[in-house]
Amino acid sequence: MSRKCLENKAKEEPKFKVRRHNRCPICGRPRGFMRLFNMCRCCFRNLAREGKIPGVVKSSW
């Protein structure tokens, strides 16, 4: 319940722009957010592994 409330609160426009906080649009995770892909690291990893993000390949060394 509280997670859903925080997701809805993050969607609203804050009174001051410094209060804005990035959240993953897929799962709502507030931490580990990647601005370049607009998602958290967990969702990024899953989608990259499935090949759904163009130009991203699994690295092997």
Side-chain angles (χ1 to χ4, degrees):
M1 180 72 175
S2 63
R3 184 177 190 141
K4 191 63 117 173
C5 179
L6 290 173
E7 288 176 23
N8 290 337
K9 186 177 180 182
K11 290 178 185 174
E12 296 174 7
E13 190 65 31
K15 187 173 182 180
F16 305 103
K17 63 181 178 181
V18 294
R19 290 185 183 173
R20 190 173 170 279
H21 194 77
N22 289 325
R23 278 189 175 267
C24 178
I26 301 166
C27 64
R29 183 180 166 88
R31 294 182 166 188
F33 186 82
M34 303 171 78
R35 288 183 186 179
L36 184 64
F37 298 100
N38 193 34
M39 64 181 74
C40 70
R41 61 180 178 80
C42 303
C43 295
F44 172 77
R45 189 165 183 251
N46 290 335
L47 293 175
R49 189 176 62 233
E50 295 171 7
K52 294 185 178 178
I53 303 175
V56 176
V57 293
K58 184 178 183 297
S59 63
S60 59
W61 11 336

